[in-house]
């Protein structure tokens, strides 16, 4: 679109910053407060963010008529960009000696941020106003935290569900039992029904990750793996042979007609 030439874009928002934050699996589920040091720019007090020496007298840029923008054409397309003469400030004059005409000064700032419970790997979190200083009194940019969650040795995250694999014995699988399994809130009891098969999954409701948006908490999905014992003596072999005679099942009977 066209421009009336009025000074309306001399102020501009500062650029955004990105910071990668590495946290543990449990910290991602429970949340944490952490302190970090930022390298950012703040508005130069001497020039008010304009980059122009005030004592030299500011003059409206004749190239852009104070708008800070200049129109360009590329074929049938027209677009605008920062004025090359004034750097987008709308003014011309001697460069500010404090900031070298940049309008901002580098600083190190220590801030404390709160990471909410339930963040997942790759979560992008905005911290308003903690980016670089704006130009000519414009607002500062924002800080974006990119969350990286370290893998856990036992738990796996699947959406808001927490998955894990727990070994059980042949006897426990055949006869059924109650076992203790780890959860993110501590140990909890899980009932194993008789005849449980290896790879079977059980759900512990409400034992998963909290929802970032205030919804229902996820579940814990426990997959059991039946561990076959190593038969090291003749007595154990006889017991297993007797078990096979008493339970003459053929788990491959449905494979006879497979071609």
């Amino acid at each position: 679109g066209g421009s009336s030439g009025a000074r309306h874009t001399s102020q501009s928002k500062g650029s955004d910053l990105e910071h990668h934050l590495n946290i543990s699996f449990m910290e991602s589920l429970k949340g944490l407060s952490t302190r970090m040091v930022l390298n950012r720019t703040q508005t130069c007090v001497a020039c008010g963010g304009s980059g122009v020496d005030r004592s030299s007298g500011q003059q409206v840029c004749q190239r852009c008529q104070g708008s800070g923008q200049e129109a360009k054409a590329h074929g049938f397309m027209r677009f605008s960009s920062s004025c090359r003469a004034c750097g987008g400030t709308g003014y011309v004059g001697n460069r500010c000696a404090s900031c070298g005409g940049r309008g901002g000064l580098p600083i190190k700032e220590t801030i404390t941020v709160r990471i909410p419970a339930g963040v997942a790997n790759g979560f992008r979190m905005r911290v308003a106003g903690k980016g670089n200083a704006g130009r000519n009194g414009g607002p500062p940019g924002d800080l974006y935290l990119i969350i990286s969650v370290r893998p856990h040795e036992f738990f796996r995250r699947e959406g808001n569900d927490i998955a894990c694999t727990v070994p059980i014995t042949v006897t426990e699988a055949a006869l059924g039992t109650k076992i203790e399994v780890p959860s993110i809130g501590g140990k909890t009891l899980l009932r194993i029904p008789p005849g449980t098969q290896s790879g079977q999954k059980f759900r512990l409701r409400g034992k998963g990750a909290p929802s970032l948006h205030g919804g229902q908490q996820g579940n814990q999905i426990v997959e059991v793996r039946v561990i076959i014992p190593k038969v090291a003596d003749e007595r154990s072999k006889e017991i297993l042979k007797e078990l096979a005679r008493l339970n003459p099942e053929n788990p491959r009977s449905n494979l006879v007609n497979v071609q």
Side-chain angles (χ1 to χ4, degrees):
S3 170
S4 63
R7 192 168 69 241
H8 59 86
T9 58
S10 56
Q11 289 186 343
S12 59
K13 182 180 178 181
S15 58
D16 295 332
L17 295 175
E18 281 192 356
H19 183 86
H20 290 264
L21 183 63
N22 189 281
I23 63 176
S24 71
F25 187 87
M26 287 300 180
E27 286 173 334
S28 74
L29 298 178
K30 298 179 179 180
L32 76 153
S33 290
T34 184
R35 291 165 64 86
M36 61 180 61
V37 178
L38 295 179
N39 293 309
R40 55 188 293 263
T41 61
Q42 68 177 5
T43 300
C44 176
V45 177
C47 65
S50 68
V52 178
D53 185 356
R54 291 175 174 176
S55 64
S56 67
Q58 295 180 348
Q59 296 180 351
V60 174
C61 176
Q62 295 302 307
R63 186 182 186 91
C64 65
Q65 298 300 310
S67 69
Q69 303 285 309
E70 58 178 319
K72 294 182 179 180
H74 184 74
F76 294 102
M77 299 182 64
R78 292 179 60 83
F79 58 94
S80 60
S81 61
S82 294
C83 176
R84 289 169 291 177
C86 64
T89 66
Y91 300 96
V92 292
N94 295 332
R95 287 186 177 183
C96 173
S98 295
C99 66
R102 295 183 297 271
L105 294 171
I107 62 168
K108 282 189 175 182
E109 182 180 3
T110 301
I111 65 171
T112 299
V113 293
R114 174 66 187 172
I115 309 300
V119 296
N121 188 56
F123 179 75
R124 185 178 172 91
M125 176 180 165
R126 175 176 172 264
V127 182
K130 291 302 179 180
N132 287 322
R135 187 79 176 185
N136 234 26
D142 301 321
L143 168 67
Y144 287 91
L145 295 179
I146 313 300
I147 306 297
S148 297
V149 180
R150 297 191 295 274
H152 195 273
E153 61 182 5
F154 180 72
F155 296 114
R156 307 181 303 276
R157 179 131 182 204
E158 298 176 354
N160 279 348
D161 291 339
I162 303 296
C164 63
T165 302
V166 175
I168 60 175
T169 67
V170 171
T171 305
E172 289 172 331
L175 302 180
T177 187
K178 287 183 178 180
I179 62 173
E180 274 192 342
V181 296
S183 71
I184 61 174
K187 292 188 179 297
T188 187
L189 282 177
L190 173 65
R191 179 180 174 273
I192 305 296
T196 293
Q197 302 296 311
S198 187
Q200 196 166 333
K201 295 181 180 180
F202 299 90
R203 179 184 290 109
L204 296 172
R205 296 191 179 278
K207 298 290 187 181
S211 173
L212 275 175
H213 307 293
Q216 189 174 5
Q217 186 163 341
N219 305 311
Q220 180 173 341
I221 308 300
V222 181
E223 180 181 353
V224 296
R225 291 290 184 186
V226 179
I227 304 301
I228 306 300
K230 294 181 179 179
V231 180
D233 60 272
E234 292 300 322
R235 176 60 179 158
S236 296
K237 290 181 181 179
E238 289 299 326
I239 292 175
L240 289 176
K241 290 178 181 179
E242 180 65 17
L243 177 64
R245 284 193 293 268
L246 295 174
N247 298 270
E249 297 181 5
N250 182 3
R252 296 172 299 280
S253 59
N254 61 339
L255 302 180
V256 173
N257 297 321
V258 174
Q259 298 183 9

